[in-house]
Every structure is written in structure tokens, then in C-alpha cells.
Amino acid sequence: MNKLKIAVIGQSGQLAFELNRVASPHEIFCLGRNDINLFDFDDLCDVLDRIQPDAIINASAYTAVDKAELDQQNAFKLNAEAVELLGRYVKQHNIHLVHISTDYVFEGNKGKPYMPEDPIKPQGVYGLSKAEGEKRLTEVAGSQSCIIRTSWVYSSHGNNFVKTMVRLMNEKDELGVIDDQIGSPTWAHDLARACIASAEKKLTGTHHWTDEGVCSWYDFAMAIQQLGLEKGLIKKTIPVNPIPSEAYPTPAKRPHYSVMNKSSIKESLKPLKPEYWRVSLARMLDEL
């Protein structure tokens, strides 16, 4: 396998952290907001020209789903405009781009796993901005890029649902967790491996990657409690109550069902394949 020079857009997030861990034998350059101006094409070109990457993985995004409802301009700048400029760069330099997108591009009412080619219908600003980024990238550099949609990302690094649950279960006497939003968790460690493999194979098109299996946020929380107790991360059992979405209103509407079909990426990246979500969760909790 040829050793690649990979520029990772993003430095502080969960995926960038994991990409650093799984990159070997490739050379990784993580670029944070102080290293590259994603909104200035000349600056973007200057920074990337100095690295001369063989591939780019875009692990940066505006991901504050509720905040985006009132901050539309900034969400679209990072999730669409910056993606278009990265697309222009890879097109000009004849290199490959792996771009991460989201289950939030779907409405969430299908009731069976979404295929990559299914019609999209975002419910909020975050989803709309990510959908626009997908569209612009496909138009500008579709033959030199792939889009990987994912969901419910967690890792031992940064802020995420798993770490929040572990903390709250140690602090609170009782918790309520939504039980009517159904999806698939994603360990960022394995997502990073899929990104590297996609760069190696110059994968094109739109694909889905999550852990295997399906659960609600409530199911996910119960598994975190059970495994956390076994591993000594959680000190006591507390009641965890299933609640409907209406009981926990948020500014942005979430998809009720966002399970995604992964067959295209599993076929393309053989022998790499996702693990069952509870297995991945246990491995991540071991790291904690």
C-alpha cells in the first residue's frame, strides 16, 4: 500500500482525534481554524499547497444542531461554502476528498433503513446546510470525492452522549431519556478507519457508515449504564425513564427514524466492516 499524505480539516473534534490514532502508515496533517481559513480560497490553497496532500478528509462541521436554527449564516458557511471550496481545490489538484455528512439530511419517517440514493428532506437548518454541502461537492468534484453520512458519533475524546450519560449517572438520582428516536450509534474510531480506507481506495459516490444494529437513545443509555457499571465507570444504578420527544422540546426537529443502509460501503471497503454497536461501545468505555 502506498503511504499517503492526508490533510485532515479539523483538529479538535472526535473524528480528527481518531484519525490521528488510526492513520499509520499514512502521514496525517490536522488543520484547525488557526491553521487554515476555509472561507478564503487563496489562503486555503496556500496552506494545502505547502502540504501537497494526496487526499483530504473533511472532519470539520458546524454541528450545534439547535444553535444552527438561529445561526443559519455560520452553519451554511462551514457546512456548504467551505465544502465547495475544498471541492474546487481537489478538482484543480486532481486529488481525492472524503467528506462527512449526516443522517439529518433525511426526514426520518421512512420506517426502514435509508439507502444513500433515497430522497433527502432535512427538517432543520443543520440538515439543510449539510445537504447543501453534499450538493455543492457533488457538482464541483463528484468524480474525485465521496460523501460518508453517519450518525450519533461518540468517542473517548470530546463531548458526546456516552460521556454525558456516564457523568450524569454518577451525579443524578434519576434520568429521563428519549425513547422514540431510533438510529444507530457510531464509534468515531471505526468511522476514522472507514475514512482512511475510502481515501486509499479513492471511493466515490455517497455512502453510509455507522455501527451495526439499531437502538433508541433510551436503549443506548441503558447499555451505557450496564456496561459502565461492569467496568467501574458508574458507581450506582439509577432509574432511567423512557420519555417521548414532546417531553424534551428542542429548537431543531430531530429525525424520528434515521437508520441507514451500509451495504454499498461494506462492499466497497471489504474486508473492513462495522461492529455491532454494543461491542463498539464496550471498547470505547474500556478506553475511558
Side-chain angles (χ1 to χ4, degrees), residues 136-159:
R136 293 192 192 190
L137 178 58
T138 303
E139 286 170 356
V140 172
S143 62
Q144 283 166 236
S145 63
C146 68
I147 293 161
I148 300 177
R149 297 188 185 122
T150 191
S151 62
W152 300 21
V153 177
Y154 66 93
S155 82
S156 59
H157 172 81
N159 298 317

mmCIF file with all atom_site columns, all heavy atoms in Angstrom, residues 136-159:
data_model
loop_
_atom_site.group_PDB
_atom_site.id
_atom_site.type_symbol
_atom_site.label_atom_id
_atom_site.label_alt_id
_atom_site.label_comp_id
_atom_site.label_asym_id
_atom_site.label_entity_id
_atom_site.label_seq_id
_atom_site.pdbx_PDB_ins_code
_atom_site.Cartn_x
_atom_site.Cartn_y
_atom_site.Cartn_z
_atom_site.occupancy
_atom_site.B_iso_or_equiv
_atom_site.pdbx_formal_charge
_atom_site.auth_seq_id
_atom_site.auth_comp_id
_atom_site.auth_asym_id
_atom_site.auth_atom_id
_atom_site.pdbx_PDB_model_num
ATOM 1   N N   . ARG A 1 136 ? -23.243 20.768 -3.357  1.00 0.00 ? 136 ARG A N   1
ATOM 2   C CA  . ARG A 1 136 ? -22.164 21.574 -3.960  1.00 0.00 ? 136 ARG A CA  1
ATOM 3   C C   . ARG A 1 136 ? -20.926 20.722 -4.246  1.00 0.00 ? 136 ARG A C   1
ATOM 4   O O   . ARG A 1 136 ? -20.296 20.875 -5.290  1.00 0.00 ? 136 ARG A O   1
ATOM 5   C CB  . ARG A 1 136 ? -21.801 22.740 -3.040  1.00 0.00 ? 136 ARG A CB  1
ATOM 6   C CG  . ARG A 1 136 ? -22.912 23.779 -2.915  1.00 0.00 ? 136 ARG A CG  1
ATOM 7   C CD  . ARG A 1 136 ? -22.380 25.022 -2.252  1.00 0.00 ? 136 ARG A CD  1
ATOM 8   N NE  . ARG A 1 136 ? -23.444 25.943 -1.862  1.00 0.00 ? 136 ARG A NE  1
ATOM 9   C CZ  . ARG A 1 136 ? -23.228 27.183 -1.428  1.00 0.00 ? 136 ARG A CZ  1
ATOM 10  N NH1 . ARG A 1 136 ? -21.979 27.644 -1.313  1.00 0.00 ? 136 ARG A NH1 1
ATOM 11  N NH2 . ARG A 1 136 ? -24.239 27.963 -1.099  1.00 0.00 ? 136 ARG A NH2 1
ATOM 12  N N   . LEU A 1 137 ? -20.582 19.830 -3.317  1.00 0.00 ? 137 LEU A N   1
ATOM 13  C CA  . LEU A 1 137 ? -19.408 18.986 -3.532  1.00 0.00 ? 137 LEU A CA  1
ATOM 14  C C   . LEU A 1 137 ? -19.620 18.072 -4.736  1.00 0.00 ? 137 LEU A C   1
ATOM 15  O O   . LEU A 1 137 ? -18.722 17.914 -5.561  1.00 0.00 ? 137 LEU A O   1
ATOM 16  C CB  . LEU A 1 137 ? -19.121 18.151 -2.273  1.00 0.00 ? 137 LEU A CB  1
ATOM 17  C CG  . LEU A 1 137 ? -17.947 17.181 -2.380  1.00 0.00 ? 137 LEU A CG  1
ATOM 18  C CD1 . LEU A 1 137 ? -16.648 17.902 -2.739  1.00 0.00 ? 137 LEU A CD1 1
ATOM 19  C CD2 . LEU A 1 137 ? -17.778 16.384 -1.088  1.00 0.00 ? 137 LEU A CD2 1
ATOM 20  N N   . THR A 1 138 ? -20.790 17.488 -4.837  1.00 0.00 ? 138 THR A N   1
ATOM 21  C CA  . THR A 1 138 ? -21.091 16.591 -5.958  1.00 0.00 ? 138 THR A CA  1
ATOM 22  C C   . THR A 1 138 ? -20.987 17.326 -7.284  1.00 0.00 ? 138 THR A C   1
ATOM 23  O O   . THR A 1 138 ? -20.455 16.802 -8.272  1.00 0.00 ? 138 THR A O   1
ATOM 24  C CB  . THR A 1 138 ? -22.498 15.972 -5.787  1.00 0.00 ? 138 THR A CB  1
ATOM 25  O OG1 . THR A 1 138 ? -22.539 15.283 -4.530  1.00 0.00 ? 138 THR A OG1 1
ATOM 26  C CG2 . THR A 1 138 ? -22.811 14.992 -6.898  1.00 0.00 ? 138 THR A CG2 1
ATOM 27  N N   . GLU A 1 139 ? -21.477 18.577 -7.308  1.00 0.00 ? 139 GLU A N   1
ATOM 28  C CA  . GLU A 1 139 ? -21.435 19.375 -8.543  1.00 0.00 ? 139 GLU A CA  1
ATOM 29  C C   . GLU A 1 139 ? -20.006 19.750 -8.922  1.00 0.00 ? 139 GLU A C   1
ATOM 30  O O   . GLU A 1 139 ? -19.631 19.721 -10.093 1.00 0.00 ? 139 GLU A O   1
ATOM 31  C CB  . GLU A 1 139 ? -22.281 20.650 -8.371  1.00 0.00 ? 139 GLU A CB  1
ATOM 32  C CG  . GLU A 1 139 ? -23.789 20.381 -8.398  1.00 0.00 ? 139 GLU A CG  1
ATOM 33  C CD  . GLU A 1 139 ? -24.601 21.602 -7.991  1.00 0.00 ? 139 GLU A CD  1
ATOM 34  O OE1 . GLU A 1 139 ? -24.000 22.643 -7.617  1.00 0.00 ? 139 GLU A OE1 1
ATOM 35  O OE2 . GLU A 1 139 ? -25.847 21.514 -8.027  1.00 0.00 ? 139 GLU A OE2 1
ATOM 36  N N   . VAL A 1 140 ? -19.195 20.096 -7.917  1.00 0.00 ? 140 VAL A N   1
ATOM 37  C CA  . VAL A 1 140 ? -17.853 20.628 -8.180  1.00 0.00 ? 140 VAL A CA  1
ATOM 38  C C   . VAL A 1 140 ? -16.822 19.516 -8.387  1.00 0.00 ? 140 VAL A C   1
ATOM 39  O O   . VAL A 1 140 ? -15.942 19.627 -9.244  1.00 0.00 ? 140 VAL A O   1
ATOM 40  C CB  . VAL A 1 140 ? -17.411 21.556 -7.015  1.00 0.00 ? 140 VAL A CB  1
ATOM 41  C CG1 . VAL A 1 140 ? -15.958 21.967 -7.150  1.00 0.00 ? 140 VAL A CG1 1
ATOM 42  C CG2 . VAL A 1 140 ? -18.285 22.793 -6.951  1.00 0.00 ? 140 VAL A CG2 1
ATOM 43  N N   . ALA A 1 141 ? -16.930 18.440 -7.597  1.00 0.00 ? 141 ALA A N   1
ATOM 44  C CA  . ALA A 1 141 ? -15.869 17.415 -7.630  1.00 0.00 ? 141 ALA A CA  1
ATOM 45  C C   . ALA A 1 141 ? -16.422 16.018 -7.365  1.00 0.00 ? 141 ALA A C   1
ATOM 46  O O   . ALA A 1 141 ? -15.809 15.228 -6.640  1.00 0.00 ? 141 ALA A O   1
ATOM 47  C CB  . ALA A 1 141 ? -14.789 17.763 -6.601  1.00 0.00 ? 141 ALA A CB  1
ATOM 48  N N   . GLY A 1 142 ? -17.564 15.710 -7.958  1.00 0.00 ? 142 GLY A N   1
ATOM 49  C CA  . GLY A 1 142 ? -18.205 14.422 -7.704  1.00 0.00 ? 142 GLY A CA  1
ATOM 50  C C   . GLY A 1 142 ? -17.354 13.225 -8.060  1.00 0.00 ? 142 GLY A C   1
ATOM 51  O O   . GLY A 1 142 ? -17.398 12.196 -7.384  1.00 0.00 ? 142 GLY A O   1
ATOM 52  N N   . SER A 1 143 ? -16.530 13.364 -9.102  1.00 0.00 ? 143 SER A N   1
ATOM 53  C CA  . SER A 1 143 ? -15.718 12.223 -9.549  1.00 0.00 ? 143 SER A CA  1
ATOM 54  C C   . SER A 1 143 ? -14.441 12.065 -8.729  1.00 0.00 ? 143 SER A C   1
ATOM 55  O O   . SER A 1 143 ? -13.709 11.088 -8.893  1.00 0.00 ? 143 SER A O   1
ATOM 56  C CB  . SER A 1 143 ? -15.355 12.394 -11.024 1.00 0.00 ? 143 SER A CB  1
ATOM 57  O OG  . SER A 1 143 ? -14.578 13.565 -11.195 1.00 0.00 ? 143 SER A OG  1
ATOM 58  N N   . GLN A 1 144 ? -14.154 13.019 -7.832  1.00 0.00 ? 144 GLN A N   1
ATOM 59  C CA  . GLN A 1 144 ? -12.927 12.967 -7.024  1.00 0.00 ? 144 GLN A CA  1
ATOM 60  C C   . GLN A 1 144 ? -13.212 13.040 -5.535  1.00 0.00 ? 144 GLN A C   1
ATOM 61  O O   . GLN A 1 144 ? -12.367 13.474 -4.753  1.00 0.00 ? 144 GLN A O   1
ATOM 62  C CB  . GLN A 1 144 ? -11.998 14.111 -7.427  1.00 0.00 ? 144 GLN A CB  1
ATOM 63  C CG  . GLN A 1 144 ? -11.287 13.832 -8.740  1.00 0.00 ? 144 GLN A CG  1
ATOM 64  C CD  . GLN A 1 144 ? -10.643 15.076 -9.296  1.00 0.00 ? 144 GLN A CD  1
ATOM 65  O OE1 . GLN A 1 144 ? -10.908 15.472 -10.413 1.00 0.00 ? 144 GLN A OE1 1
ATOM 66  N NE2 . GLN A 1 144 ? -9.787  15.685 -8.491  1.00 0.00 ? 144 GLN A NE2 1
ATOM 67  N N   . SER A 1 145 ? -14.417 12.638 -5.160  1.00 0.00 ? 145 SER A N   1
ATOM 68  C CA  . SER A 1 145 ? -14.790 12.739 -3.748  1.00 0.00 ? 145 SER A CA  1
ATOM 69  C C   . SER A 1 145 ? -15.815 11.682 -3.390  1.00 0.00 ? 145 SER A C   1
ATOM 70  O O   . SER A 1 145 ? -16.469 11.108 -4.252  1.00 0.00 ? 145 SER A O   1
ATOM 71  C CB  . SER A 1 145 ? -15.371 14.126 -3.454  1.00 0.00 ? 145 SER A CB  1
ATOM 72  O OG  . SER A 1 145 ? -16.570 14.314 -4.201  1.00 0.00 ? 145 SER A OG  1
ATOM 73  N N   . CYS A 1 146 ? -15.924 11.426 -2.088  1.00 0.00 ? 146 CYS A N   1
ATOM 74  C CA  . CYS A 1 146 ? -17.033 10.607 -1.603  1.00 0.00 ? 146 CYS A CA  1
ATOM 75  C C   . CYS A 1 146 ? -17.640 11.302 -0.389  1.00 0.00 ? 146 CYS A C   1
ATOM 76  O O   . CYS A 1 146 ? -16.980 12.069 0.317   1.00 0.00 ? 146 CYS A O   1
ATOM 77  C CB  . CYS A 1 146 ? -16.589 9.195  -1.255  1.00 0.00 ? 146 CYS A CB  1
ATOM 78  S SG  . CYS A 1 146 ? -15.515 9.072  0.167   1.00 0.00 ? 146 CYS A SG  1
ATOM 79  N N   . ILE A 1 147 ? -18.914 11.052 -0.200  1.00 0.00 ? 147 ILE A N   1
ATOM 80  C CA  . ILE A 1 147 ? -19.657 11.570 0.949   1.00 0.00 ? 147 ILE A CA  1
ATOM 81  C C   . ILE A 1 147 ? -20.004 10.377 1.826   1.00 0.00 ? 147 ILE A C   1
ATOM 82  O O   . ILE A 1 147 ? -20.547 9.381  1.349   1.00 0.00 ? 147 ILE A O   1
ATOM 83  C CB  . ILE A 1 147 ? -20.939 12.286 0.482   1.00 0.00 ? 147 ILE A CB  1
ATOM 84  C CG1 . ILE A 1 147 ? -20.589 13.563 -0.304  1.00 0.00 ? 147 ILE A CG1 1
ATOM 85  C CG2 . ILE A 1 147 ? -21.846 12.615 1.671   1.00 0.00 ? 147 ILE A CG2 1
ATOM 86  C CD1 . ILE A 1 147 ? -21.715 14.085 -1.172  1.00 0.00 ? 147 ILE A CD1 1
ATOM 87  N N   . ILE A 1 148 ? -19.653 10.464 3.103   1.00 0.00 ? 148 ILE A N   1
ATOM 88  C CA  . ILE A 1 148 ? -19.998 9.408  4.056   1.00 0.00 ? 148 ILE A CA  1
ATOM 89  C C   . ILE A 1 148 ? -20.932 10.006 5.102   1.00 0.00 ? 148 ILE A C   1
ATOM 90  O O   . ILE A 1 148 ? -20.522 10.846 5.902   1.00 0.00 ? 148 ILE A O   1
ATOM 91  C CB  . ILE A 1 148 ? -18.747 8.818  4.741   1.00 0.00 ? 148 ILE A CB  1
ATOM 92  C CG1 . ILE A 1 148 ? -17.800 8.225  3.696   1.00 0.00 ? 148 ILE A CG1 1
ATOM 93  C CG2 . ILE A 1 148 ? -19.159 7.750  5.758   1.00 0.00 ? 148 ILE A CG2 1
ATOM 94  C CD1 . ILE A 1 148 ? -16.503 7.671  4.281   1.00 0.00 ? 148 ILE A CD1 1
ATOM 95  N N   . ARG A 1 149 ? -22.191 9.573  5.066   1.00 0.00 ? 149 ARG A N   1
ATOM 96  C CA  . ARG A 1 149 ? -23.145 10.027 6.085   1.00 0.00 ? 149 ARG A CA  1
ATOM 97  C C   . ARG A 1 149 ? -23.026 9.128  7.316   1.00 0.00 ? 149 ARG A C   1
ATOM 98  O O   . ARG A 1 149 ? -22.892 7.921  7.195   1.00 0.00 ? 149 ARG A O   1
ATOM 99  C CB  . ARG A 1 149 ? -24.581 9.955  5.552   1.00 0.00 ? 149 ARG A CB  1
ATOM 100 C CG  . ARG A 1 149 ? -24.846 10.866 4.367   1.00 0.00 ? 149 ARG A CG  1
ATOM 101 C CD  . ARG A 1 149 ? -26.326 10.876 4.034   1.00 0.00 ? 149 ARG A CD  1
ATOM 102 N NE  . ARG A 1 149 ? -26.604 11.637 2.828   1.00 0.00 ? 149 ARG A NE  1
ATOM 103 C CZ  . ARG A 1 149 ? -27.213 11.139 1.749   1.00 0.00 ? 149 ARG A CZ  1
ATOM 104 N NH1 . ARG A 1 149 ? -27.618 9.873  1.736   1.00 0.00 ? 149 ARG A NH1 1
ATOM 105 N NH2 . ARG A 1 149 ? -27.444 11.900 0.696   1.00 0.00 ? 149 ARG A NH2 1
ATOM 106 N N   . THR A 1 150 ? -23.121 9.745  8.490   1.00 0.00 ? 150 THR A N   1
ATOM 107 C CA  . THR A 1 150 ? -23.001 8.999  9.736   1.00 0.00 ? 150 THR A CA  1
ATOM 108 C C   . THR A 1 150 ? -24.002 9.541  10.750  1.00 0.00 ? 150 THR A C   1
ATOM 109 O O   . THR A 1 150 ? -24.751 10.486 10.452  1.00 0.00 ? 150 THR A O   1
ATOM 110 C CB  . THR A 1 150 ? -21.552 9.045  10.259  1.00 0.00 ? 150 THR A CB  1
ATOM 111 O OG1 . THR A 1 150 ? -21.404 8.114  11.327  1.00 0.00 ? 150 THR A OG1 1
ATOM 112 C CG2 . THR A 1 150 ? -21.175 10.448 10.731  1.00 0.00 ? 150 THR A CG2 1
ATOM 113 N N   . SER A 1 151 ? -24.020 8.961  11.961  1.00 0.00 ? 151 SER A N   1
ATOM 114 C CA  . SER A 1 151 ? -24.988 9.410  12.969  1.00 0.00 ? 151 SER A CA  1
ATOM 115 C C   . SER A 1 151 ? -24.506 9.076  14.372  1.00 0.00 ? 151 SER A C   1
ATOM 116 O O   . SER A 1 151 ? -23.713 8.149  14.568  1.00 0.00 ? 151 SER A O   1
ATOM 117 C CB  . SER A 1 151 ? -26.350 8.735  12.725  1.00 0.00 ? 151 SER A CB  1
ATOM 118 O OG  . SER A 1 151 ? -26.259 7.327  12.852  1.00 0.00 ? 151 SER A OG  1
ATOM 119 N N   . TRP A 1 152 ? -24.978 9.829  15.348  1.00 0.00 ? 152 TRP A N   1
ATOM 120 C CA  . TRP A 1 152 ? -24.805 9.540  16.777  1.00 0.00 ? 152 TRP A CA  1
ATOM 121 C C   . TRP A 1 152 ? -23.343 9.224  17.116  1.00 0.00 ? 152 TRP A C   1
ATOM 122 O O   . TRP A 1 152 ? -23.033 8.207  17.747  1.00 0.00 ? 152 TRP A O   1
ATOM 123 C CB  . TRP A 1 152 ? -25.697 8.367  17.198  1.00 0.00 ? 152 TRP A CB  1
ATOM 124 C CG  . TRP A 1 152 ? -27.170 8.542  17.012  1.00 0.00 ? 152 TRP A CG  1
ATOM 125 C CD1 . TRP A 1 152 ? -27.815 9.416  16.173  1.00 0.00 ? 152 TRP A CD1 1
ATOM 126 C CD2 . TRP A 1 152 ? -28.204 7.781  17.661  1.00 0.00 ? 152 TRP A CD2 1
ATOM 127 N NE1 . TRP A 1 152 ? -29.176 9.230  16.257  1.00 0.00 ? 152 TRP A NE1 1
ATOM 128 C CE2 . TRP A 1 152 ? -29.449 8.243  17.159  1.00 0.00 ? 152 TRP A CE2 1
ATOM 129 C CE3 . TRP A 1 152 ? -28.213 6.737  18.576  1.00 0.00 ? 152 TRP A CE3 1
ATOM 130 C CZ2 . TRP A 1 152 ? -30.676 7.715  17.574  1.00 0.00 ? 152 TRP A CZ2 1
ATOM 131 C CZ3 . TRP A 1 152 ? -29.428 6.213  18.990  1.00 0.00 ? 152 TRP A CZ3 1
ATOM 132 C CH2 . TRP A 1 152 ? -30.644 6.709  18.500  1.00 0.00 ? 152 TRP A CH2 1
ATOM 133 N N   . VAL A 1 153 ? -22.430 10.105 16.718  1.00 0.00 ? 153 VAL A N   1
ATOM 134 C CA  . VAL A 1 153 ? -20.990 9.833  16.855  1.00 0.00 ? 153 VAL A CA  1
ATOM 135 C C   . VAL A 1 153 ? -20.535 10.026 18.309  1.00 0.00 ? 153 VAL A C   1
ATOM 136 O O   . VAL A 1 153 ? -20.917 10.988 18.977  1.00 0.00 ? 153 VAL A O   1
ATOM 137 C CB  . VAL A 1 153 ? -20.186 10.755 15.916  1.00 0.00 ? 153 VAL A CB  1
ATOM 138 C CG1 . VAL A 1 153 ? -18.682 10.526 16.096  1.00 0.00 ? 153 VAL A CG1 1
ATOM 139 C CG2 . VAL A 1 153 ? -20.594 10.507 14.455  1.00 0.00 ? 153 VAL A CG2 1
ATOM 140 N N   . TYR A 1 154 ? -19.699 9.092  18.776  1.00 0.00 ? 154 TYR A N   1
ATOM 141 C CA  . TYR A 1 154 ? -19.144 9.194  20.126  1.00 0.00 ? 154 TYR A CA  1
ATOM 142 C C   . TYR A 1 154 ? -17.707 8.670  20.114  1.00 0.00 ? 154 TYR A C   1
ATOM 143 O O   . TYR A 1 154 ? -17.305 7.923  19.212  1.00 0.00 ? 154 TYR A O   1
ATOM 144 C CB  . TYR A 1 154 ? -19.987 8.387  21.125  1.00 0.00 ? 154 TYR A CB  1
ATOM 145 C CG  . TYR A 1 154 ? -19.939 6.896  20.891  1.00 0.00 ? 154 TYR A CG  1
ATOM 146 C CD1 . TYR A 1 154 ? -19.004 6.099  21.550  1.00 0.00 ? 154 TYR A CD1 1
ATOM 147 C CD2 . TYR A 1 154 ? -20.801 6.277  19.979  1.00 0.00 ? 154 TYR A CD2 1
ATOM 148 C CE1 . TYR A 1 154 ? -18.929 4.730  21.307  1.00 0.00 ? 154 TYR A CE1 1
ATOM 149 C CE2 . TYR A 1 154 ? -20.730 4.911  19.742  1.00 0.00 ? 154 TYR A CE2 1
ATOM 150 C CZ  . TYR A 1 154 ? -19.797 4.143  20.403  1.00 0.00 ? 154 TYR A CZ  1
ATOM 151 O OH  . TYR A 1 154 ? -19.716 2.802  20.158  1.00 0.00 ? 154 TYR A OH  1
ATOM 152 N N   . SER A 1 155 ? -16.921 9.090  21.094  1.00 0.00 ? 155 SER A N   1
ATOM 153 C CA  . SER A 1 155 ? -15.570 8.552  21.282  1.00 0.00 ? 155 SER A CA  1
ATOM 154 C C   . SER A 1 155 ? -15.103 8.894  22.689  1.00 0.00 ? 155 SER A C   1
ATOM 155 O O   . SER A 1 155 ? -15.812 9.578  23.432  1.00 0.00 ? 155 SER A O   1
ATOM 156 C CB  . SER A 1 155 ? -14.599 9.123  20.243  1.00 0.00 ? 155 SER A CB  1
ATOM 157 O OG  . SER A 1 155 ? -14.130 10.399 20.638  1.00 0.00 ? 155 SER A OG  1
ATOM 158 N N   . SER A 1 156 ? -13.907 8.432  23.033  1.00 0.00 ? 156 SER A N   1
ATOM 159 C CA  . SER A 1 156 ? -13.354 8.750  24.359  1.00 0.00 ? 156 SER A CA  1
ATOM 160 C C   . SER A 1 156 ? -12.875 10.193 24.441  1.00 0.00 ? 156 SER A C   1
ATOM 161 O O   . SER A 1 156 ? -12.538 10.685 25.503  1.00 0.00 ? 156 SER A O   1
ATOM 162 C CB  . SER A 1 156 ? -12.205 7.788  24.690  1.00 0.00 ? 156 SER A CB  1
ATOM 163 O OG  . SER A 1 156 ? -11.190 7.898  23.702  1.00 0.00 ? 156 SER A OG  1
ATOM 164 N N   . HIS A 1 157 ? -12.865 10.887 23.296  1.00 0.00 ? 157 HIS A N   1
ATOM 165 C CA  . HIS A 1 157 ? -12.382 12.272 23.210  1.00 0.00 ? 157 HIS A CA  1
ATOM 166 C C   . HIS A 1 157 ? -13.567 13.215 23.007  1.00 0.00 ? 157 HIS A C   1
ATOM 167 O O   . HIS A 1 157 ? -14.509 12.892 22.290  1.00 0.00 ? 157 HIS A O   1
ATOM 168 C CB  . HIS A 1 157 ? -11.406 12.383 22.030  1.00 0.00 ? 157 HIS A CB  1
ATOM 169 C CG  . HIS A 1 157 ? -10.973 13.779 21.714  1.00 0.00 ? 157 HIS A CG  1
ATOM 170 N ND1 . HIS A 1 157 ? -9.973  14.415 22.414  1.00 0.00 ? 157 HIS A ND1 1
ATOM 171 C CD2 . HIS A 1 157 ? -11.406 14.662 20.784  1.00 0.00 ? 157 HIS A CD2 1
ATOM 172 C CE1 . HIS A 1 157 ? -9.800  15.631 21.920  1.00 0.00 ? 157 HIS A CE1 1
ATOM 173 N NE2 . HIS A 1 157 ? -10.660 15.802 20.926  1.00 0.00 ? 157 HIS A NE2 1
ATOM 174 N N   . GLY A 1 158 ? -13.518 14.382 23.612  1.00 0.00 ? 158 GLY A N   1
ATOM 175 C CA  . GLY A 1 158 ? -14.523 15.414 23.331  1.00 0.00 ? 158 GLY A CA  1
ATOM 176 C C   . GLY A 1 158 ? -15.846 15.167 24.029  1.00 0.00 ? 158 GLY A C   1
ATOM 177 O O   . GLY A 1 158 ? -15.987 14.294 24.884  1.00 0.00 ? 158 GLY A O   1
ATOM 178 N N   . ASN A 1 159 ? -16.851 15.964 23.654  1.00 0.00 ? 159 ASN A N   1
ATOM 179 C CA  . ASN A 1 159 ? -18.168 15.886 24.272  1.00 0.00 ? 159 ASN A CA  1
ATOM 180 C C   . ASN A 1 159 ? -19.094 15.036 23.413  1.00 0.00 ? 159 ASN A C   1
ATOM 181 O O   . ASN A 1 159 ? -19.159 15.225 22.203  1.00 0.00 ? 159 ASN A O   1
ATOM 182 C CB  . ASN A 1 159 ? -18.765 17.285 24.423  1.00 0.00 ? 159 ASN A CB  1
ATOM 183 C CG  . ASN A 1 159 ? -17.923 18.169 25.319  1.00 0.00 ? 159 ASN A CG  1
ATOM 184 O OD1 . ASN A 1 159 ? -17.463 17.719 26.362  1.00 0.00 ? 159 ASN A OD1 1
ATOM 185 N ND2 . ASN A 1 159 ? -17.712 19.405 24.920  1.00 0.00 ? 159 ASN A ND2 1
#
